[in-house]
Amino acid sequence: MLLYHPAFDIHHCMFRVLTLLESLTARPFEKQRILILDFYLIFPYELSSAQFPAEFRSTRTQLRKLHNTYEDVSDPKRLFQRIQPYQESALECLASYNLIAPELLRDRDEVSRTTTPIPEELGRSIAEAKAVRKTEIEVLKLVFQDLQLTGPKGLKKRTDLLESRYDLPPSIPIS
Amino acid sequence: MTSLHPSLFLSRLSVWNRGKAVYDETFHLGVNIIRGNNSTGKSTIVDFIFYVLGGDFQKWKPEALRCDTVIAEVIINGVKVTIRREVSAARSQKMAIYWGPYEQARQNITIGWNIYPFGRTSETESFSQLLFRTLGMPEVRAEEGRSLTMHQILRLIVIDQISSIDSLLREEEFDSGLVRRAVGDLLFGIYDNQLYANEVELRAKRSMLDDLTKQIDNLVEVLGSVGQTRSSKEYDKEIKETNERLTRTLVAIDQATSSAQPETASQSIKELDHFRQVAQKSKAALSEAQRQIEVLDFDITDSAQFINSLEARLRSLDESITTRTVLGNLTLSYCPQCLSPLTKTNQEHVCSLCNAEVAPESHNARALRMKQEMALQIKESQILLTAKESRLKEVREGLPILINKARQDIREFELKSRTVQSVRDETLNDLYSQKGSLESQISYLEQQARAAQVLERLKREKNQLQGIVGTLEIEIRQARTRQAEKLGLAMEKIQDHTFYFLRNDLKDEGKPLEEFFSLANTLTIDFSKNTFAIDGRNQFSASSVTYLRNSIHFGILLASLELDFFRYPRLIVCDNIEDKGMKEARSHQFQKLVVEASKRFDVEHQIIFTTSMIEPELNNPAFCVGPAYTPANKTLHFE
């Protein structure tokens, strides 16, 4: 049964990233944000463990129905570390196909969708996926897409997947 | 000449300084006068008398302190005793006593003398205790821890000049009204030892009675509130009756158990057993079905989740394949490693990046194989799931029937078990329950009986105490009446004799010096307050007050010669019969009255007084002791 898991599949990661970019607002995103949101596409129930901002607490209850014993994660942080190489490769691959801007990825660690069109067949698959994962995609879009990445109330701190202690405070520009 | 006891007379007094007597005079019964000018040491002699008889004295005049010893021969209840004391300014001096006359005592400086301390100790008596016993006076406790001493009674007997003239008793520093009253009671013969003891006991018994009454009241209230009002006898009777009933019941039980019929018993038991087993089986079947439902429920949920998981994986795999396939058809524009632009090559089956030959769809084939396996797994799981679901449905449908059957079988069993119970069993049950209730009743009654007994005992004790209290009260009343009678009598006599002096006070041209002395009728003496008054008045001129005071003291002495119950030892020592401002004639008159009164009584007594204005008629050895002292010839002769 454990022959295949989408977490360790580069191509599936590419698929997920494209799905994300097609669902969220069209703007450049920090690479770390994309990695985090991608993790939640693989394990949507883990989203209920994140610290929701006060105004969105009620949305968390919607995630309850996604629970499946066979998808439970015992150590999210460690798991995230293990899939990171695949995520990195997937992003580089997407950049190679110019589906995301390579210079932005290379120079600024940013993920930005280019104008390169997605082939039709893939587009259809993505649309289906969007329908199937409607619940989690909506939560990500509503709550976590625009949250500040760093800082004590930032996305990284709330999700507790990436090391956030040594980040520069949010007010200081990255470049 | 008769004698009344107790009596204490001075027959000889000597004062010594370094082995030499600086004063040595004898005294006689009746009136003794020490006369001389002022400041010739007359008072000093009185001080010595006070001291040698047992008084505590420190206010020695300088000449007195030059002396070292005082020796006196006294006659106590007719017996000659010699007393010696060291002259000292310190307090609480001891006393040495020789049981014999002066002359003998002087020859035996050490042998035959006993030394007694001022205050008693755990091993020795005080000299006061000794003298009291010798005089036949009872030991009197004035107040907590204080017994009367010689010193205290001498305060009434020896009148000084230092105390204020309106004090009844000689004044002293740490005085107490209670002590003074005790002195009065003792000397007037009113003190009743038994009465005192009875009063103490009455107080104690009254307090005990109070406590007991409270206990009884409480107990009665408590018992009454729980409806228990019978006597212990009644309870005992009821206990006995109940015990008899119990015995009869036990006998009946015995009879009932021994007359059992085994046949009918076993048959009904077998039948009952069958019904019980049937009910048991139905119950077991029911719980088994319920258990199966639980297990299946869980299984199904679990399987559903498993299948979901598989389906999700399958979907992902599909997505992955699509991505790979579609994107694979795209050419890489940038090098994946360094993201620098790539030049295009358009060869088929050749990797556009590394130019290696590539078999198309080879990796896809693996993915497709995985897909196939997964799909199979899903199918199998689904079949299993369906089977479980239908099984669950079956069991669920059969459940109501099982529930009903179980209920019915249990009901039948209960019904059967009730009818099997024979009449015999019922009577036996009744007997047993009767036995139980009788036993508990008996223990309840026993408790009540115990409480009633306690109450009865307390009531008995209370009655006893009341009897004692009653007796004590009667005795005390009688003793107090006797006391009051005595006191009345004493006061009457004292009053009489006092007024003898007052009415015969000097008259100046027919008019009494103090008019009130002729008008007044009653005398009051208050030991507690240390005062005296006639018709309630004691404010007069200094001389009149002195006169009144002396009249009272002599009145007491004279009363003691008439009343045998008086313990006043028929002795009076008065320093300065007059005060400095008194008219000479008045003092003379008083002296004459004293002598006259003394002559009237045929009872042994002794009067010693000092004066600086001797009545000429009395200025002779019959009355006077020692010479007429002058500044050149004082009482104490030092060489």
Side-chain angles (χ1 to χ4, degrees):
Chain A
M1 158 64 208
L2 301 169
L3 325 142
Y4 174 75
H5 199 290
F8 307 108
D9 181 353
I10 299 180
H11 284 98
H12 196 258
C13 183
M14 288 162 70
F15 180 82
R16 295 192 303 267
V17 173
L18 287 176
T19 311
L20 269 177
L21 294 174
E22 291 295 302
S23 311
L24 305 175
T25 11
R27 65 172 174 86
F29 292 103
E30 308 94 318
K31 183 171 87 174
Q32 288 185 323
R33 186 186 296 271
I34 295 297
L35 295 185
I36 292 171
L37 298 188
D38 177 53
F39 177 83
Y40 286 124
L41 275 190
I42 312 171
F43 302 103
Y45 187 67
E46 283 306 306
L47 204 47
S48 61
S49 304
Q51 279 177 32
F52 277 59
E55 61 267 32
F56 297 117
R57 291 263 164 81
S58 47
T59 29
R60 189 157 67 168
T61 49
Q62 292 174 14
L63 298 164
R64 289 275 153 77
K65 60 185 184 225
L66 297 173
H67 184 243
N68 187 324
T69 333
Y70 292 96
E71 301 296 327
D72 280 345
V73 177
S74 51
D75 193 347
K77 214 164 179 169
R78 177 121 206 293
L79 183 59
F80 185 82
Q81 273 178 356
R82 283 174 60 200
I83 66 176
Q84 265 193 284
Y86 297 91
Q87 289 175 316
E88 297 280 352
S89 300
L91 287 174
E92 276 160 14
C93 214
L94 284 175
S96 311
Y97 285 115
N98 201 17
L99 285 166
I100 62 176
E103 334 76 56
L104 288 180
L105 180 68
R106 180 186 59 203
D107 299 332
R108 291 160 62 119
D109 269 344
E110 272 182 14
V111 174
S112 180
R113 179 81 178 87
T114 59
T115 50
T116 314
I118 296 177
E120 205 184 303
E121 200 187 327
L122 189 53
R124 273 201 300 275
S125 203
I126 289 173
E128 262 180 54
K130 273 166 78 173
V132 168
R133 297 163 201 273
K134 188 159 168 242
T135 319
E136 52 264 44
I137 288 177
E138 258 182 39
V139 174
L140 288 176
K141 184 165 182 180
L142 182 67
V143 182
F144 294 101
Q145 163 187 244
D146 294 315
L147 260 176
Q148 181 178 293
L149 186 66
T150 51
K153 296 263 186 222
L155 180 67
K156 285 166 81 172
K157 190 78 175 43
R158 285 181 190 275
T159 53
D160 199 28
L161 294 170
L162 280 173
E163 176 58 64
S164 61
R165 281 179 296 177
Y166 304 110
D167 290 344
L168 289 170
S171 52
I172 299 173
I174 302 169
S175 64
Chain B
M1 200 52 130
T2 49
S3 52
L4 288 177
H5 291 162
S7 65
L8 173 64
F9 306 129
L10 180 67
S11 57
R12 187 166 175 180
L13 180 71
S14 61
V15 181
W16 298 79
N17 166 247
R18 294 195 218 175
K20 289 224 165 69
V22 296
Y23 178 91
D24 190 359
E25 298 291 345
T26 53
F27 295 77
H28 46 268
L29 293 175
V31 177
N32 299 262
I33 308 173
I34 301 173
R35 79 254 191 249
N37 296 10
N38 286 323
S39 307
T40 48
K42 303 191 298 293
S43 294
T44 312
I45 299 299
V46 173
D47 291 343
F48 278 125
I49 296 174
F50 179 76
Y51 182 66
V52 82
L53 291 180
D56 200 28
F57 191 80
Q58 285 98 46
K59 296 193 174 100
W60 298 107
K61 307 223 169 55
E63 307 81 58
L65 276 178
R66 286 173 65 186
C67 311
D68 37 63
T69 327
V70 188
I71 307 180
E73 183 188 84
V74 294
I75 307 174
I76 302 179
N77 289 358
V79 176
K80 283 198 180 149
V81 172
T82 313
I83 304 172
R84 184 181 77 212
R85 273 185 111 183
E86 308 292 317
V87 177
S88 163
R91 312 180 70 97
S92 314
Q93 290 297 302
K94 52 194 182 297
M95 184 190 280
I97 298 176
Y98 183 88
W99 299 99
Y102 186 95
E103 291 303 334
Q104 238 173 59
R106 289 294 295 143
Q107 281 157 24
N108 299 303
I109 308 294
T110 47
I111 313 162
W113 286 88
N114 291 331
I115 300 192
Y116 286 85
F118 183 84
R120 76 181 73 187
T121 67
S122 52
E123 284 125 43
T124 54
E125 272 190 321
S126 63
F127 63 71
S128 289
Q129 282 177 297
L130 176 69
L131 290 175
F132 266 58
R133 204 174 48 249
T134 316
L135 283 163
M137 295 215 277
E139 194 173 313
V140 173
R141 198 142 291 149
E143 48 182 23
E144 204 47 55
R146 264 175 103 168
S147 293
L148 289 186
T149 56
M150 283 305 293
H151 172 86
Q152 293 298 337
I153 64 171
L154 287 171
R155 286 172 68 192
L156 184 60
I157 295 168
V158 182
I159 305 146
D160 68 335
Q161 281 189 291
I162 312 294
S163 305
S164 39
I165 47 176
D166 58 359
S167 300
L168 183 62
L169 296 180
R170 178 189 278 245
E171 285 172 337
E172 63 180 27
E173 217 182 325
F174 300 108
D175 205 0
S176 137
L178 284 173
V179 170
R180 288 193 297 265
R181 232 193 80 195
V183 169
D185 284 351
L186 172 64
L187 292 180
F188 288 2
I190 291 164
Y191 180 80
D192 186 348
N193 231 348
Q194 186 58 44
L195 172 61
Y196 178 80
N198 280 354
E199 279 175 335
V200 167
E201 199 187 340
L202 180 64
R203 252 198 305 277
K205 289 286 190 290
R206 277 216 179 111
S207 154
M208 274 171 70
L209 189 61
D210 271 344
D211 286 342
L212 204 54
T213 310
K214 242 180 260 169
Q215 261 189 320
I216 291 172
D217 286 344
N218 282 342
L219 198 53
V220 165
E221 198 183 315
V222 166
L223 293 178
S225 72
V226 297
Q228 182 195 343
T229 44
R230 293 179 276 177
S231 72
S232 64
K233 265 215 189 70
E234 288 169 338
Y235 279 118
D236 283 341
K237 184 153 162 280
E238 196 172 330
I239 289 171
K240 187 154 163 272
E241 285 172 7
T242 316
N243 260 321
E244 283 167 7
R245 278 167 63 197
L246 180 65
T247 318
R248 285 200 293 274
T249 310
L250 290 172
V251 165
I253 288 174
D254 245 356
Q255 286 177 346
T257 41
S258 55
S259 67
Q261 286 156 26
E263 255 184 47
T264 32
S266 62
Q267 194 191 45
S268 37
I269 287 172
K270 256 207 211 128
E271 233 183 77
L272 193 63
D273 217 37
H274 167 77
F275 276 96
R276 189 175 50 78
Q277 277 178 9
V278 166
Q280 205 111 309
K281 262 202 213 121
S282 323
K283 272 204 288 186
L286 176 61
S287 34
E288 176 58 26
Q290 284 168 331
R291 190 193 64 84
Q292 275 184 11
I293 289 170
E294 251 185 72
V295 170
L296 282 170
D297 235 342
F298 178 77
D299 250 354
I300 287 166
T301 316
D302 186 64
S303 303
Q305 280 191 339
F306 183 66
I307 291 171
N308 276 340
S309 223
L310 281 178
E311 284 173 345
R313 297 286 165 93
L314 192 58
R315 241 194 332 269
S316 301
L317 194 51
D318 246 344
E319 287 160 352
S320 178
I321 292 169
T322 310
T323 311
R324 184 195 273 272
T325 318
V326 169
L327 289 185
N329 289 332
L330 294 176
T331 45
L332 287 175
S333 320
Y334 292 86
C335 168
Q337 183 64 30
C338 65
L339 295 179
S340 39
L342 290 173
T343 50
K344 294 197 175 112
T345 50
N346 267 320
Q347 288 176 298
E348 293 283 327
H349 308 298
V350 165
C351 174
S352 51
L353 185 64
C354 65
N355 281 320
E357 284 214 22
V358 85
E361 319 288 327
S362 54
H363 35 349
N364 273 357
R366 204 177 71 242
L368 286 171
R369 203 175 50 247
M370 276 202 289
K371 249 184 83 171
Q372 190 61 14
E373 279 183 28
M374 253 197 269
L376 223 65
Q377 223 172 359
I378 291 174
K379 214 183 203 115
E380 269 179 39
S381 300
Q382 271 174 343
I383 292 169
L384 279 172
L385 182 61
T386 321
K388 280 188 194 153
E389 279 174 342
S390 60
R391 173 99 191 94
L392 179 62
K393 199 154 150 247
E394 259 180 59
V395 180
R396 274 229 167 95
E397 280 169 1
L399 197 61
I401 300 167
L402 286 173
I403 292 173
N404 270 334
K405 182 156 194 317
R407 277 215 195 114
Q408 222 173 325
D409 291 340
I410 289 169
R411 220 178 299 143
E412 273 188 44
F413 167 65
E414 281 179 348
L415 221 63
K416 205 69 192 183
S417 66
R418 255 182 253 144
T419 52
V420 163
Q421 183 129 345
S422 67
V423 175
R424 174 194 61 93
D425 277 340
E426 269 183 41
T427 33
L428 202 57
N429 276 342
D430 284 339
L431 282 174
Y432 273 120
S433 81
Q434 199 173 58
K435 169 175 172 283
S437 87
L438 282 173
E439 278 170 343
S440 68
Q441 184 151 354
I442 287 170
S443 79
Y444 169 75
L445 286 171
E446 277 173 349
Q447 268 183 356
Q448 307 298 83
R450 261 201 300 277
Q453 269 168 18
V454 166
L455 184 60
E456 279 156 20
R457 177 177 58 81
L458 286 176
K459 282 188 177 160
R460 273 198 305 277
E461 276 178 27
K462 179 179 171 179
N463 275 338
Q464 248 181 357
L465 261 182
Q466 276 172 336
I468 294 173
V469 165
T471 317
L472 278 173
E473 280 172 344
I474 291 172
E475 279 179 24
I476 287 171
R477 240 199 323 274
Q478 285 175 345
R480 286 231 183 98
T481 315
R482 279 197 301 274
Q483 248 193 1
E485 278 170 11
K486 264 195 197 162
L487 185 59
L489 191 54
M491 283 313 299
E492 208 188 294
K493 285 286 178 218
I494 295 171
Q495 188 175 270
D496 278 347
H497 294 302
T498 306
F499 274 105
Y500 156 75
F501 289 101
L502 294 181
R503 297 270 198 264
N504 292 315
D505 192 11
L506 184 71
K507 287 188 177 61
D508 192 10
E509 292 158 13
K511 268 188 70 180
L513 283 183
E514 178 51 64
E515 199 180 345
F516 202 75
F517 286 174
S518 332
L519 300 172
N521 285 305
T522 54
L523 168 71
T524 42
I525 300 176
D526 192 334
F527 277 88
S528 237
K529 298 197 185 112
N530 204 13
T531 57
F532 48 84
I534 41 169
D535 277 4
R537 178 178 163 187
N538 63 0
Q539 303 289 335
F540 303 96
S541 66
S543 310
S544 292
V545 173
T546 307
Y547 190 90
L548 174 59
R549 185 199 67 191
N550 291 342
S551 304
I552 294 170
H553 279 103
F554 279 94
I556 293 171
L557 169 74
L558 295 176
S560 79
L561 304 181
E562 275 195 284
L563 301 171
D564 57 0
F565 59 80
F566 260 57
R567 291 207 173 94
Y568 187 87
R570 286 85 199 173
L571 164 72
I572 185 167
V573 183
C574 187
D575 188 19
N576 264 26
I577 215 129
E578 67 274 338
D579 82 320
K580 302 291 186 280
M582 194 184 281
K583 268 174 99 149
E584 198 173 353
R586 197 179 190 185
S587 174
H588 292 172
Q589 174 69 356
F590 190 79
Q591 292 170 42
K592 282 205 287 238
L593 289 172
V594 166
V595 169
E596 201 200 331
S598 170
K599 282 209 179 93
R600 249 192 289 138
F601 289 95
D602 196 31
V603 180
E604 282 186 344
H605 61 276
Q606 188 175 46
I607 297 167
I608 304 173
F609 66 80
T610 67
T611 177
S612 47
M613 314 163 184
I614 179 121
E615 154 59 52
E617 278 176 26
L618 309 174
N619 196 356
N620 54 62
F623 297 105
C624 295
V625 174
Y629 297 104
T630 63
N633 182 18
K634 292 193 182 177
T635 52
L636 299 177
H637 274 133
F638 294 102
E639 250 138 64

